Amino acid sequence: MKKVVRTAALSPLAPIFLSTLLLSPQALAQETTPRADKHYIGLMATAINHRTIGPAAERAWGSAATLVVGGHITDLFHAELRAGGGYKDAEVPDSDFTLAVDYFASWYIGMHYPLGEYANVYGQFGFSYIHGEATLENPDADRNVFYRNFGDEFPDSGFSTSWLAGLDFEVMEDTFLVLEGGKLFEDTGSEVNSFQFSGGFRYEF
């Protein structure tokens, strides 16, 4: 038995066996790219909920697609740019009035915090530019009386503060399922508040 052990120790493979035994989980972790050095791209479907429309404070839903490009500043902080385009206008109930978000662009800085090994919760704050239009058909009809003062441009104020809170789950390596919600913009002219609720995927690289 001693002869076998001595032979193995003197073999050319001995350094490999020794390295394998001495290789710690910490050394293996160093091969993984730190999150602070990663960027990401995402694509999401977004529902836009317009609230406080007119004196009756009506609500209406529209739809958009959102592209996200960003990067991790540190292991806990990130910054990103978003661009979105609407594909379904918001029809205000019991009227002939519609609100459309043609496109929007946003910049955010935020913080994310891990929930275990495969999930993160995050919040972010930033600014958005929104371009859209308001359309009123049959303005003389009684059901449209509350919306006659809206102009064709919507919103009146194109720039607004925005915020988001969300949760992501790693479903594959570097690929995350994302669910989030928050305020997209507030129109100071018409006092319409518009919120965004999104779901989609993000890939980190």
Side-chain angles (χ1 to χ4, degrees), residues 49-92:
N49 181 220
H50 303 287
R51 305 180 183 180
T52 61
I53 305 171
E58 291 285 359
R59 298 187 179 192
W61 290 87
S63 301
T66 304
L67 175 68
V68 183
V69 178
H72 294 283
I73 303 172
T74 68
D75 287 340
L76 293 178
F77 290 92
H78 61 271
E80 66 183 39
L81 294 172
R82 296 187 175 212
Y87 59 84
K88 182 180 181 297
D89 298 344
E91 300 178 355
V92 179

mmCIF file of all heavy atoms in Angstrom, residues 49-92:
data_model
loop_
_atom_site.group_PDB
_atom_site.id
_atom_site.type_symbol
_atom_site.label_atom_id
_atom_site.label_comp_id
_atom_site.label_asym_id
_atom_site.label_seq_id
_atom_site.Cartn_x
_atom_site.Cartn_y
_atom_site.Cartn_z
ATOM 1 N N ASN A 49 -51.401 52.901 -17.405
ATOM 2 C CA ASN A 49 -52.678 53.215 -16.769
ATOM 3 C C ASN A 49 -52.774 54.720 -16.538
ATOM 4 O O ASN A 49 -52.086 55.274 -15.695
ATOM 5 C CB ASN A 49 -52.793 52.463 -15.447
ATOM 6 C CG ASN A 49 -54.105 52.708 -14.727
ATOM 7 O OD1 ASN A 49 -54.157 52.849 -13.510
ATOM 8 N ND2 ASN A 49 -55.196 52.769 -15.471
ATOM 9 N N HIS A 50 -53.617 55.397 -17.336
ATOM 10 C CA HIS A 50 -53.843 56.838 -17.185
ATOM 11 C C HIS A 50 -54.931 57.052 -16.130
ATOM 12 O O HIS A 50 -56.032 56.489 -16.243
ATOM 13 C CB HIS A 50 -54.274 57.455 -18.515
ATOM 14 C CG HIS A 50 -53.309 57.240 -19.630
ATOM 15 N ND1 HIS A 50 -52.104 57.911 -19.713
ATOM 16 C CD2 HIS A 50 -53.357 56.416 -20.715
ATOM 17 C CE1 HIS A 50 -51.463 57.525 -20.801
ATOM 18 N NE2 HIS A 50 -52.200 56.624 -21.427
ATOM 19 N N ARG A 51 -54.634 57.883 -15.144
ATOM 20 C CA ARG A 51 -55.574 58.132 -14.055
ATOM 21 C C ARG A 51 -55.907 59.616 -13.970
ATOM 22 O O ARG A 51 -55.218 60.445 -14.537
ATOM 23 C CB ARG A 51 -54.987 57.639 -12.729
ATOM 24 C CG ARG A 51 -54.570 56.171 -12.740
ATOM 25 C CD ARG A 51 -53.989 55.740 -11.398
ATOM 26 N NE ARG A 51 -53.528 54.357 -11.430
ATOM 27 C CZ ARG A 51 -52.982 53.727 -10.390
ATOM 28 N NH1 ARG A 51 -52.829 54.365 -9.240
ATOM 29 N NH2 ARG A 51 -52.591 52.475 -10.509
ATOM 30 N N THR A 52 -56.952 59.920 -13.232
ATOM 31 C CA THR A 52 -57.446 61.300 -13.020
ATOM 32 C C THR A 52 -57.631 62.030 -14.348
ATOM 33 O O THR A 52 -57.149 63.148 -14.541
ATOM 34 C CB THR A 52 -56.506 62.101 -12.080
ATOM 35 O OG1 THR A 52 -55.209 62.199 -12.681
ATOM 36 C CG2 THR A 52 -56.402 61.429 -10.720
ATOM 37 N N ILE A 53 -58.343 61.385 -15.277
ATOM 38 C CA ILE A 53 -58.624 61.993 -16.578
ATOM 39 C C ILE A 53 -59.908 62.812 -16.465
ATOM 40 O O ILE A 53 -60.990 62.254 -16.269
ATOM 41 C CB ILE A 53 -58.787 60.925 -17.670
ATOM 42 C CG1 ILE A 53 -57.556 60.012 -17.726
ATOM 43 C CG2 ILE A 53 -59.018 61.579 -19.023
ATOM 44 C CD1 ILE A 53 -57.733 58.812 -18.631
ATOM 45 N N GLY A 54 -59.779 64.130 -16.589
ATOM 46 C CA GLY A 54 -60.950 64.998 -16.536
ATOM 47 C C GLY A 54 -61.504 65.161 -15.134
ATOM 48 O O GLY A 54 -61.021 64.548 -14.166
ATOM 49 N N PRO A 55 -62.558 65.973 -14.994
ATOM 50 C CA PRO A 55 -63.168 66.222 -13.674
ATOM 51 C C PRO A 55 -63.723 64.971 -13.014
ATOM 52 O O PRO A 55 -63.799 64.896 -11.785
ATOM 53 C CB PRO A 55 -64.284 67.224 -13.991
ATOM 54 C CG PRO A 55 -63.890 67.861 -15.269
ATOM 55 C CD PRO A 55 -63.169 66.810 -16.044
ATOM 56 N N ALA A 56 -64.104 63.979 -13.817
ATOM 57 C CA ALA A 56 -64.644 62.737 -13.250
ATOM 58 C C ALA A 56 -63.557 61.757 -12.828
ATOM 59 O O ALA A 56 -63.861 60.678 -12.310
ATOM 60 C CB ALA A 56 -65.580 62.063 -14.252
ATOM 61 N N ALA A 57 -62.294 62.134 -13.042
ATOM 62 C CA ALA A 57 -61.150 61.293 -12.652
ATOM 63 C C ALA A 57 -61.262 59.882 -13.218
ATOM 64 O O ALA A 57 -61.071 58.887 -12.513
ATOM 65 C CB ALA A 57 -61.001 61.253 -11.137
ATOM 66 N N GLU A 58 -61.563 59.793 -14.510
ATOM 67 C CA GLU A 58 -61.671 58.501 -15.167
ATOM 68 C C GLU A 58 -60.290 57.852 -15.313
ATOM 69 O O GLU A 58 -59.250 58.509 -15.216
ATOM 70 C CB GLU A 58 -62.312 58.666 -16.548
ATOM 71 C CG GLU A 58 -63.776 59.063 -16.507
ATOM 72 C CD GLU A 58 -64.686 57.906 -16.123
ATOM 73 O OE1 GLU A 58 -64.172 56.784 -15.899
ATOM 74 O OE2 GLU A 58 -65.904 58.119 -16.041
ATOM 75 N N ARG A 59 -60.306 56.551 -15.599
ATOM 76 C CA ARG A 59 -59.075 55.802 -15.840
ATOM 77 C C ARG A 59 -59.181 55.087 -17.182
ATOM 78 O O ARG A 59 -60.262 54.695 -17.607
ATOM 79 C CB ARG A 59 -58.812 54.780 -14.736
ATOM 80 C CG ARG A 59 -58.624 55.388 -13.363
ATOM 81 C CD ARG A 59 -58.194 54.335 -12.358
ATOM 82 N NE ARG A 59 -57.975 54.890 -11.038
ATOM 83 C CZ ARG A 59 -57.386 54.234 -10.047
ATOM 84 N NH1 ARG A 59 -56.969 52.986 -10.238
ATOM 85 N NH2 ARG A 59 -57.221 54.806 -8.868
ATOM 86 N N ALA A 60 -58.046 54.911 -17.835
ATOM 87 C CA ALA A 60 -58.014 54.206 -19.113
ATOM 88 C C ALA A 60 -56.659 53.531 -19.280
ATOM 89 O O ALA A 60 -55.642 54.015 -18.770
ATOM 90 C CB ALA A 60 -58.280 55.166 -20.266
ATOM 91 N N TRP A 61 -56.643 52.401 -20.005
ATOM 92 C CA TRP A 61 -55.435 51.613 -20.184
ATOM 93 C C TRP A 61 -54.954 51.648 -21.630
ATOM 94 O O TRP A 61 -55.752 51.508 -22.560
ATOM 95 C CB TRP A 61 -55.682 50.153 -19.796
ATOM 96 C CG TRP A 61 -55.871 49.929 -18.330
ATOM 97 C CD1 TRP A 61 -57.038 50.015 -17.634
ATOM 98 C CD2 TRP A 61 -54.865 49.580 -17.383
ATOM 99 N NE1 TRP A 61 -56.822 49.751 -16.311
ATOM 100 C CE2 TRP A 61 -55.496 49.465 -16.121
ATOM 101 C CE3 TRP A 61 -53.486 49.340 -17.476
ATOM 102 C CZ2 TRP A 61 -54.800 49.128 -14.969
ATOM 103 C CZ3 TRP A 61 -52.798 49.001 -16.321
ATOM 104 C CH2 TRP A 61 -53.446 48.898 -15.086
ATOM 105 N N GLY A 62 -53.657 51.826 -21.814
ATOM 106 C CA GLY A 62 -53.007 51.695 -23.103
ATOM 107 C C GLY A 62 -51.870 50.691 -23.002
ATOM 108 O O GLY A 62 -51.553 50.195 -21.915
ATOM 109 N N SER A 63 -51.246 50.382 -24.133
ATOM 110 C CA SER A 63 -50.171 49.389 -24.146
ATOM 111 C C SER A 63 -48.973 49.903 -24.918
ATOM 112 O O SER A 63 -49.112 50.680 -25.870
ATOM 113 C CB SER A 63 -50.668 48.077 -24.772
ATOM 114 O OG SER A 63 -51.764 47.549 -24.053
ATOM 115 N N ALA A 64 -47.787 49.441 -24.513
ATOM 116 C CA ALA A 64 -46.540 49.854 -25.157
ATOM 117 C C ALA A 64 -45.521 48.731 -25.047
ATOM 118 O O ALA A 64 -45.697 47.766 -24.290
ATOM 119 C CB ALA A 64 -46.001 51.130 -24.514
ATOM 120 N N ALA A 65 -44.448 48.851 -25.817
ATOM 121 C CA ALA A 65 -43.285 47.960 -25.710
ATOM 122 C C ALA A 65 -42.100 48.797 -25.255
ATOM 123 O O ALA A 65 -41.938 49.943 -25.687
ATOM 124 C CB ALA A 65 -42.993 47.286 -27.040
ATOM 125 N N THR A 66 -41.264 48.226 -24.381
ATOM 126 C CA THR A 66 -40.163 48.980 -23.774
ATOM 127 C C THR A 66 -38.841 48.242 -23.959
ATOM 128 O O THR A 66 -38.728 47.051 -23.650
ATOM 129 C CB THR A 66 -40.410 49.203 -22.273
ATOM 130 O OG1 THR A 66 -41.666 49.855 -22.093
ATOM 131 C CG2 THR A 66 -39.310 50.058 -21.663
ATOM 132 N N LEU A 67 -37.841 48.955 -24.458
ATOM 133 C CA LEU A 67 -36.477 48.442 -24.581
ATOM 134 C C LEU A 67 -35.625 49.065 -23.477
ATOM 135 O O LEU A 67 -35.675 50.277 -23.266
ATOM 136 C CB LEU A 67 -35.895 48.788 -25.946
ATOM 137 C CG LEU A 67 -34.425 48.414 -26.180
ATOM 138 C CD1 LEU A 67 -34.259 46.901 -26.217
ATOM 139 C CD2 LEU A 67 -33.909 49.040 -27.476
ATOM 140 N N VAL A 68 -34.859 48.240 -22.779
ATOM 141 C CA VAL A 68 -34.042 48.688 -21.652
ATOM 142 C C VAL A 68 -32.575 48.376 -21.932
ATOM 143 O O VAL A 68 -32.231 47.257 -22.308
ATOM 144 C CB VAL A 68 -34.469 48.001 -20.335
ATOM 145 C CG1 VAL A 68 -33.656 48.522 -19.172
ATOM 146 C CG2 VAL A 68 -35.955 48.177 -20.092
ATOM 147 N N VAL A 69 -31.695 49.360 -21.732
ATOM 148 C CA VAL A 69 -30.247 49.173 -21.856
ATOM 149 C C VAL A 69 -29.596 49.829 -20.646
ATOM 150 O O VAL A 69 -29.857 50.998 -20.352
ATOM 151 C CB VAL A 69 -29.703 49.794 -23.148
ATOM 152 C CG1 VAL A 69 -28.191 49.620 -23.218
ATOM 153 C CG2 VAL A 69 -30.366 49.183 -24.376
ATOM 154 N N GLY A 70 -28.765 49.083 -19.930
ATOM 155 C CA GLY A 70 -28.173 49.647 -18.721
ATOM 156 C C GLY A 70 -26.913 48.937 -18.298
ATOM 157 O O GLY A 70 -26.398 48.053 -18.990
ATOM 158 N N GLY A 71 -26.427 49.341 -17.139
ATOM 159 C CA GLY A 71 -25.222 48.735 -16.599
ATOM 160 C C GLY A 71 -25.179 48.855 -15.089
ATOM 161 O O GLY A 71 -25.816 49.737 -14.508
ATOM 162 N N HIS A 72 -24.434 47.962 -14.457
ATOM 163 C CA HIS A 72 -24.270 47.968 -13.009
ATOM 164 C C HIS A 72 -23.086 48.853 -12.639
ATOM 165 O O HIS A 72 -21.968 48.648 -13.113
ATOM 166 C CB HIS A 72 -24.060 46.554 -12.484
ATOM 167 C CG HIS A 72 -25.251 45.669 -12.667
ATOM 168 N ND1 HIS A 72 -26.361 45.736 -11.855
ATOM 169 C CD2 HIS A 72 -25.526 44.709 -13.597
ATOM 170 C CE1 HIS A 72 -27.248 44.845 -12.250
ATOM 171 N NE2 HIS A 72 -26.768 44.218 -13.310
ATOM 172 N N ILE A 73 -23.347 49.870 -11.821
ATOM 173 C CA ILE A 73 -22.287 50.776 -11.364
ATOM 174 C C ILE A 73 -21.458 50.097 -10.278
ATOM 175 O O ILE A 73 -20.228 50.163 -10.267
ATOM 176 C CB ILE A 73 -22.896 52.087 -10.854
ATOM 177 C CG1 ILE A 73 -23.756 52.738 -11.944
ATOM 178 C CG2 ILE A 73 -21.801 53.047 -10.399
ATOM 179 C CD1 ILE A 73 -24.557 53.933 -11.455
ATOM 180 N N THR A 74 -22.144 49.459 -9.340
ATOM 181 C CA THR A 74 -21.522 48.647 -8.289
ATOM 182 C C THR A 74 -22.357 47.379 -8.160
ATOM 183 O O THR A 74 -23.264 47.135 -8.953
ATOM 184 C CB THR A 74 -21.486 49.391 -6.940
ATOM 185 O OG1 THR A 74 -22.830 49.530 -6.441
ATOM 186 C CG2 THR A 74 -20.867 50.775 -7.083
ATOM 187 N N ASP A 75 -22.074 46.585 -7.136
ATOM 188 C CA ASP A 75 -22.868 45.381 -6.917
ATOM 189 C C ASP A 75 -24.298 45.697 -6.495
ATOM 190 O O ASP A 75 -25.166 44.834 -6.543
ATOM 191 C CB ASP A 75 -22.216 44.496 -5.850
ATOM 192 C CG ASP A 75 -20.971 43.800 -6.376
ATOM 193 O OD1 ASP A 75 -20.845 43.701 -7.620
ATOM 194 O OD2 ASP A 75 -20.134 43.363 -5.573
ATOM 195 N N LEU A 76 -24.552 46.932 -6.058
ATOM 196 C CA LEU A 76 -25.887 47.287 -5.577
ATOM 197 C C LEU A 76 -26.567 48.390 -6.394
ATOM 198 O O LEU A 76 -27.784 48.540 -6.313
ATOM 199 C CB LEU A 76 -25.825 47.723 -4.105
ATOM 200 C CG LEU A 76 -25.453 46.648 -3.092
ATOM 201 C CD1 LEU A 76 -25.394 47.248 -1.689
ATOM 202 C CD2 LEU A 76 -26.460 45.497 -3.117
ATOM 203 N N PHE A 77 -25.823 49.171 -7.156
ATOM 204 C CA PHE A 77 -26.407 50.300 -7.878
ATOM 205 C C PHE A 77 -26.295 50.103 -9.390
ATOM 206 O O PHE A 77 -25.333 49.503 -9.881
ATOM 207 C CB PHE A 77 -25.718 51.611 -7.470
ATOM 208 C CG PHE A 77 -26.041 52.046 -6.072
ATOM 209 C CD1 PHE A 77 -25.233 51.655 -5.008
ATOM 210 C CD2 PHE A 77 -27.150 52.832 -5.797
ATOM 211 C CE1 PHE A 77 -25.519 52.043 -3.706
ATOM 212 C CE2 PHE A 77 -27.452 53.225 -4.507
ATOM 213 C CZ PHE A 77 -26.637 52.832 -3.460
ATOM 214 N N HIS A 78 -27.295 50.639 -10.096
ATOM 215 C CA HIS A 78 -27.316 50.517 -11.552
ATOM 216 C C HIS A 78 -27.884 51.791 -12.173
ATOM 217 O O HIS A 78 -28.549 52.590 -11.505
ATOM 218 C CB HIS A 78 -28.166 49.310 -11.984
ATOM 219 C CG HIS A 78 -29.603 49.409 -11.561
ATOM 220 N ND1 HIS A 78 -30.057 48.937 -10.348
ATOM 221 C CD2 HIS A 78 -30.693 49.941 -12.193
ATOM 222 C CE1 HIS A 78 -31.363 49.167 -10.239
ATOM 223 N NE2 HIS A 78 -31.780 49.777 -11.356
ATOM 224 N N ALA A 79 -27.628 51.987 -13.462
ATOM 225 C CA ALA A 79 -28.190 53.103 -14.229
ATOM 226 C C ALA A 79 -28.622 52.557 -15.581
ATOM 227 O O ALA A 79 -27.999 51.631 -16.118
ATOM 228 C CB ALA A 79 -27.175 54.219 -14.397
ATOM 229 N N GLU A 80 -29.689 53.141 -16.143
ATOM 230 C CA GLU A 80 -30.206 52.603 -17.392
ATOM 231 C C GLU A 80 -30.945 53.649 -18.215
ATOM 232 O O GLU A 80 -31.372 54.694 -17.709
ATOM 233 C CB GLU A 80 -31.144 51.420 -17.114
ATOM 234 C CG GLU A 80 -32.410 51.793 -16.377
ATOM 235 C CD GLU A 80 -33.283 50.584 -16.062
ATOM 236 O OE1 GLU A 80 -32.724 49.520 -15.712
ATOM 237 O OE2 GLU A 80 -34.513 50.707 -16.174
ATOM 238 N N LEU A 81 -31.079 53.354 -19.499
ATOM 239 C CA LEU A 81 -31.883 54.127 -20.435
ATOM 240 C C LEU A 81 -33.005 53.241 -20.956
ATOM 241 O O LEU A 81 -32.816 52.038 -21.150
ATOM 242 C CB LEU A 81 -31.020 54.608 -21.610
ATOM 243 C CG LEU A 81 -29.911 55.613 -21.298
ATOM 244 C CD1 LEU A 81 -29.040 55.811 -22.529
ATOM 245 C CD2 LEU A 81 -30.511 56.936 -20.848
ATOM 246 N N ARG A 82 -34.162 53.860 -21.178
ATOM 247 C CA ARG A 82 -35.313 53.124 -21.709
ATOM 248 C C ARG A 82 -35.910 53.892 -22.879
ATOM 249 O O ARG A 82 -35.940 55.123 -22.880
ATOM 250 C CB ARG A 82 -36.384 52.927 -20.631
ATOM 251 C CG ARG A 82 -35.929 52.067 -19.473
ATOM 252 C CD ARG A 82 -37.069 51.766 -18.527
ATOM 253 N NE ARG A 82 -36.650 50.842 -17.480
ATOM 254 C CZ ARG A 82 -37.439 49.946 -16.908
ATOM 255 N NH1 ARG A 82 -38.714 49.860 -17.259
ATOM 256 N NH2 ARG A 82 -36.978 49.132 -15.974
ATOM 257 N N ALA A 83 -36.409 53.143 -23.850
ATOM 258 C CA ALA A 83 -37.139 53.721 -24.969
ATOM 259 C C ALA A 83 -38.371 52.859 -25.206
ATOM 260 O O ALA A 83 -38.283 51.618 -25.216
ATOM 261 C CB ALA A 83 -36.274 53.779 -26.219
ATOM 262 N N GLY A 84 -39.510 53.502 -25.368
ATOM 263 C CA GLY A 84 -40.752 52.753 -25.538
ATOM 264 C C GLY A 84 -41.633 53.361 -26.604
ATOM 265 O O GLY A 84 -41.535 54.555 -26.919
ATOM 266 N N GLY A 85 -42.483 52.540 -27.169
ATOM 267 C CA GLY A 85 -43.442 52.994 -28.171
ATOM 268 C C GLY A 85 -44.797 52.385 -27.912
ATOM 269 O O GLY A 85 -44.910 51.200 -27.590
ATOM 270 N N GLY A 86 -45.829 53.201 -28.005
ATOM 271 C CA GLY A 86 -47.176 52.710 -27.771
ATOM 272 C C GLY A 86 -47.740 51.997 -28.991
ATOM 273 O O GLY A 86 -47.468 52.373 -30.128
ATOM 274 N N TYR A 87 -48.536 50.950 -28.761
ATOM 275 C CA TYR A 87 -49.185 50.246 -29.870
ATOM 276 C C TYR A 87 -50.696 50.070 -29.648
ATOM 277 O O TYR A 87 -51.391 49.562 -30.521
ATOM 278 C CB TYR A 87 -48.524 48.890 -30.135
ATOM 279 C CG TYR A 87 -48.538 47.923 -28.971
ATOM 280 C CD1 TYR A 87 -49.639 47.114 -28.715
ATOM 281 C CD2 TYR A 87 -47.426 47.797 -28.144
ATOM 282 C CE1 TYR A 87 -49.645 46.214 -27.665
ATOM 283 C CE2 TYR A 87 -47.420 46.901 -27.093
ATOM 284 C CZ TYR A 87 -48.532 46.116 -26.866
ATOM 285 O OH TYR A 87 -48.527 45.229 -25.813
ATOM 286 N N LYS A 88 -51.201 50.497 -28.494
ATOM 287 C CA LYS A 88 -52.638 50.468 -28.240
ATOM 288 C C LYS A 88 -53.013 51.718 -27.459
ATOM 289 O O LYS A 88 -52.466 51.973 -26.395
ATOM 290 C CB LYS A 88 -53.044 49.213 -27.472
ATOM 291 C CG LYS A 88 -54.540 49.112 -27.225
ATOM 292 C CD LYS A 88 -54.885 47.833 -26.465
ATOM 293 C CE LYS A 88 -56.389 47.707 -26.228
ATOM 294 N NZ LYS A 88 -56.920 48.801 -25.374
ATOM 295 N N ASP A 89 -53.943 52.510 -28.005
ATOM 296 C CA ASP A 89 -54.364 53.748 -27.352
ATOM 297 C C ASP A 89 -55.291 53.454 -26.177
ATOM 298 O O ASP A 89 -55.938 52.395 -26.105
ATOM 299 C CB ASP A 89 -55.083 54.654 -28.350
ATOM 300 C CG ASP A 89 -54.175 55.075 -29.498
ATOM 301 O OD1 ASP A 89 -52.947 54.926 -29.352
ATOM 302 O OD2 ASP A 89 -54.701 55.540 -30.525
ATOM 303 N N ALA A 90 -55.347 54.406 -25.257
ATOM 304 C CA ALA A 90 -56.220 54.286 -24.090
ATOM 305 C C ALA A 90 -57.566 54.935 -24.402
ATOM 306 O O ALA A 90 -57.626 56.135 -24.679
ATOM 307 C CB ALA A 90 -55.577 54.944 -22.878
ATOM 308 N N GLU A 91 -58.622 54.163 -24.365
ATOM 309 C CA GLU A 91 -59.972 54.661 -24.636
ATOM 310 C C GLU A 91 -60.676 54.946 -23.318
ATOM 311 O O GLU A 91 -60.876 54.047 -22.500
ATOM 312 C CB GLU A 91 -60.753 53.642 -25.453
ATOM 313 C CG GLU A 91 -60.111 53.316 -26.806
ATOM 314 C CD GLU A 91 -60.890 52.259 -27.576
ATOM 315 O OE1 GLU A 91 -61.868 51.715 -27.009
ATOM 316 O OE2 GLU A 91 -60.508 51.975 -28.726
ATOM 317 N N VAL A 92 -61.046 56.210 -23.109
ATOM 318 C CA VAL A 92 -61.694 56.616 -21.862
ATOM 319 C C VAL A 92 -63.135 56.098 -21.864
ATOM 320 O O VAL A 92 -63.871 56.296 -22.839
ATOM 321 C CB VAL A 92 -61.675 58.147 -21.708
ATOM 322 C CG1 VAL A 92 -62.371 58.566 -20.418
ATOM 323 C CG2 VAL A 92 -60.235 58.653 -21.731
#
